Amino acid sequence: MPSSPHGSSTPDSSPTLDTSLSSTASTEPKNCSTSSLPTKSQTISGLISYTPKRCRYDPANPPRFSIWLNLLFAFAGAFTVANLYYNHPILQLLAREFGVSNQRASLIPTLAQAGYACGLVFLCPLGDVFPRRLYVLSLVFFTSTVWLGLCLTDSFAVFCSLTLIASVTTVTPQLSMRFPILVAPINRTDLRRTVLPLVGDLAPPHRRASALSITSSGLLLGLLFARLLSGVVTEYTSWRNIYWLAFGLQYLIFALLWLFMPDYPSTNPDGINYFRILYSIFQIFINHPLLVQACLVGFCTSTTFTSFWTTLTFLLSAPPYEYSTLIIGLFALIGIFSMFLGPLWSRFVTDRFIPLFSVIIGLLICMAGACIGTYTGTFTVAGPIIQAAFLDFGIQTAVIANRSAIFGILPLARNRVNTAYMISAFCGQLTGTAVGNHNFARGGWISSGSTSVGFLAAALLLCAVRGPREKRWVGWRGGWRIRKDGDVARKGDEERGKTGGGKEGSAESSQHADGN
């Protein structure tokens, strides 16, 4: 018989119903507490993997790369890479806080660079395997959570360990810089053919260096703010507050990316072997002399960069200067000079001449700054100021020219080409931090600076043994001309007139030029 409106049955069946209800009541709470309710890890995983409706991928109308999304990635990249440099102006304070020597405290930036290099090797290639949104959000969330330990720990060993771990996952700027753009509505089978890397592919050949320079200037801004904020905050409050500030910024970045980062499908929907990717990076490296030359030059210039900025803290905090962390942090403002001048140099020099020309000019500027700062820095602060300005501008000039040159190598494997170059650069930073601080502890400022002069001399020698048009490992076949070949310049002019620098025209020009 049908039940009553209140859910009761006939009187004859009520005992049975009461039994079933009591049985259900006794078992349901157990089931809810054990299997029905999600665990904390499931809740967090579901939050990270959830995609707001406006960010979901639609094959018929793929998301476009707007200026606002570009600014979001610039902000995220700047204050993510800043994690590596907050410790630079306050190394002497960290040494006192943990009761270790200055040389022992220099292990902190060394581990940060080592962790970042490991992330470039082992995590960046996974960007070609996993969906980019979920992968980036997972890395940012993990980094933010680990960073909490740096704010709380009183152990030097734990601080160093967490610095290493957090730096491994601080590779999201490299993933964001290579975020794909879909130039037209496509189906899934055509995805790998039409997904273009952000800067290197979309910029036309005659504007590629300036486009890369603007992107790199954004990362330089993060590096500058890291040193500046660290020095200012630590001067007036505890050094831990800069780490708390970084902790909050990481979660802000996570929230902004979660809200606005579009969801693109994997660039390899059919799957790709992770270990084959790693091996292919090695194969690309050993088979392209231009890439090897660029990587070795990048290694040498990177050593001088970190060697200078880490040992500068010890020089300025000791006699005869004895500057506060505020003054040491303000030295980061010198980088504004190169940040604004770099794109102009790239637009009017690097884009018009062969990249090797700008590399050599940049190295000579670095050499002049290193010599002035090294051999005058012990008695006048003008030496380190000049060295900082020359190093920042010279290294940026060389790096942009190098990256502009290697973008012509294997257009379909630019992620791996970029990974090979960044690995060499951060291995150089790791070496510069370790060797520079070791020599500073043993021989002082002049000893560490002379090491930088030696690395810059080696970089100039590497430029001298192989010309810009040489296809082999050594030689200057193809001529000494510093201007780019006429056909490339002519194609750039024709493209500028036909497309006006539009996205589709830029992408086609990039692919055509790289195929020559």
Side-chain angles (χ1 to χ4, degrees):
M1 295 179 64
S3 61
S4 67
H6 298 287
S8 62
S9 184
T10 61
D12 294 338
S13 60
S14 60
T16 305
L17 181 61
D18 291 338
T19 303
S20 64
L21 286 173
S22 62
S23 174
T24 303
S26 63
T27 57
E28 277 187 349
K30 294 181 180 179
N31 292 336
C32 290
S33 61
T34 58
S35 59
S36 299
L37 296 177
T39 64
K40 290 183 179 180
S41 61
Q42 290 173 334
T43 302
I44 295 174
S45 176
L47 175 65
I48 297 175
S49 59
Y50 179 79
T51 304
K53 186 175 180 180
R54 65 176 174 276
C55 299
R56 294 173 188 172
Y57 178 73
D58 181 5
N61 186 27
R64 301 291 178 173
F65 195 86
S66 66
I67 182 62
W68 301 111
L69 190 60
N70 197 352
L71 291 174
L72 172 60
F73 286 152
F75 174 80
F79 285 99
T80 301
V81 78
N83 292 342
L84 304 175
Y85 301 102
Y86 288 120
N87 57 69
H88 281 198
I90 59 173
L91 286 175
Q92 79 283 5
L93 293 182
L94 294 175
R96 289 202 299 266
E97 172 74 16
F98 293 111
V100 296
S101 65
N102 286 345
Q103 184 178 6
R104 183 75 171 164
S106 67
L107 184 63
I108 297 172
T110 302
L111 289 173
Q113 301 299 337
Y116 196 87
C118 290
L120 289 172
V121 176
F122 298 109
L123 296 186
C124 274
L126 291 174
D128 290 334
V129 179
F130 299 128
R132 193 66 57 89
R133 173 186 163 92
L134 177 60
Y135 187 44
V136 169
L137 288 176
S138 299
L139 289 178
V140 173
F141 182 82
F142 180 83
T143 304
S144 306
T145 306
V146 171
W147 198 265
L148 179 62
L150 293 172
C151 302
L152 299 173
T153 184
D154 292 321
S155 168
F156 181 73
V158 173
F159 191 90
C160 288
S161 300
L162 293 179
T163 296
L164 176 65
I165 295 171
S167 299
V168 171
T169 55
T170 306
V171 292
T172 47
Q174 298 305 319
L175 295 169
S176 298
M177 284 175 65
R178 298 196 299 272
F179 199 83
I181 296 177
L182 307 184
V183 295
I186 57 175
N187 57 45
R188 194 173 181 85
T189 58
D190 292 333
L191 182 64
R192 275 183 284 183
R193 180 169 55 85
T194 54
V195 171
L196 303 178
L198 173 57
V199 176
D201 278 334
L202 287 186
H206 65 284
R207 294 286 180 86
R208 180 176 293 157
S210 52
L212 286 170
S213 179
I214 293 172
T215 303
S216 296
S217 294
L219 296 180
L220 179 62
L221 183 65
L223 186 154
L224 184 154
F225 271 116
R227 293 198 181 100
L228 181 61
L229 286 174
S230 183
V232 173
V233 172
T234 304
E235 174 67 17
Y236 297 106
T237 65
S238 168
W239 67 267
R240 291 186 185 273
N241 287 337
I242 188 62
Y243 278 83
W244 281 113
L245 177 61
F247 173 74
L249 285 171
Q250 292 305 296
Y251 271 107
L252 175 61
I253 290 170
F254 172 80
L256 291 175
L257 291 177
W258 188 89
L259 288 171
F260 301 109
M261 184 176 183
D263 183 26
Y264 289 95
S266 172
T267 55
N268 290 280
D270 299 328
I272 186 171
N273 187 282
Y274 172 66
F275 297 101
R276 185 175 297 174
I277 293 177
L278 295 180
Y279 180 66
S280 68
I281 295 174
F282 174 74
Q283 284 184 309
I284 292 172
F285 182 80
I286 63 175
N287 289 324
H288 292 85
L290 173 59
L291 179 60
V292 173
Q293 183 185 36
C295 287
L296 292 178
V297 171
F299 175 90
C300 293
T301 54
S302 295
T303 59
T304 63
F305 180 81
T306 52
S307 176
F308 169 75
W309 282 106
T310 53
T311 56
L312 179 68
T313 301
F314 301 134
L315 172 71
L316 298 180
S317 62
Y321 303 114
E322 297 183 324
Y323 289 153
S324 65
T325 56
L326 173 62
I327 301 299
I328 297 174
L330 290 176
F331 266 71
L333 292 175
I334 300 172
I336 293 178
F337 165 76
S338 60
M339 186 178 68
F340 288 107
L341 187 58
L344 294 176
W345 175 275
S346 298
R347 176 68 181 90
F348 294 106
V349 179
T350 308
D351 278 334
R352 298 185 178 185
F353 298 93
I354 56 173
L356 186 62
F357 174 72
S358 288
V359 172
I360 294 175
I361 294 297
L363 291 175
L364 291 175
I365 294 173
C366 290
M367 179 67 80
C371 290
I372 293 172
T374 296
Y375 303 114
T376 66
T378 55
F379 57 86
T380 174
V381 74
I385 291 176
I386 294 173
Q387 183 174 358
F390 280 32
L391 276 183
D392 278 356
F393 176 68
I395 289 177
Q396 186 182 11
T397 299
V399 167
I400 295 304
N402 263 334
R403 298 189 75 164
S404 177
I406 65 175
F407 263 111
I409 301 174
L410 296 179
L412 297 181
R414 283 198 175 123
N415 282 358
R416 283 165 279 176
V417 171
N418 180 72
T419 298
Y421 181 80
M422 292 306 300
I423 289 171
S424 66
F426 273 88
C427 285
Q429 291 197 16
L430 169 63
T431 303
T433 303
V435 174
N437 283 286
H438 175 76
N439 289 343
F440 186 88
R442 298 188 62 180
W445 175 255
I446 293 179
S447 176
S448 63
S450 297
T451 304
S452 296
V453 172
F455 276 112
L456 290 172
L460 286 169
L461 180 61
L462 289 167
C463 293
V465 298
R466 186 180 181 276
R469 297 173 182 83
E470 176 61 63
K471 302 300 182 183
R472 301 178 184 178
W473 291 94
V474 178
W476 279 76
R477 298 173 185 85
W480 298 68
R481 299 184 309 277
I482 62 173
R483 283 193 171 273
K484 290 183 177 179
D485 294 336
D487 57 339
V488 175
R490 185 170 57 254
K491 289 174 185 175
D493 292 337
E494 292 174 357
E495 184 205 38
R496 191 185 306 125
K498 292 179 181 179
T499 67
K503 288 185 177 180
E504 293 181 2
S506 299
E508 292 172 1
S509 174
S510 176
Q511 290 178 329
H512 180 71
D514 289 330
N516 290 340

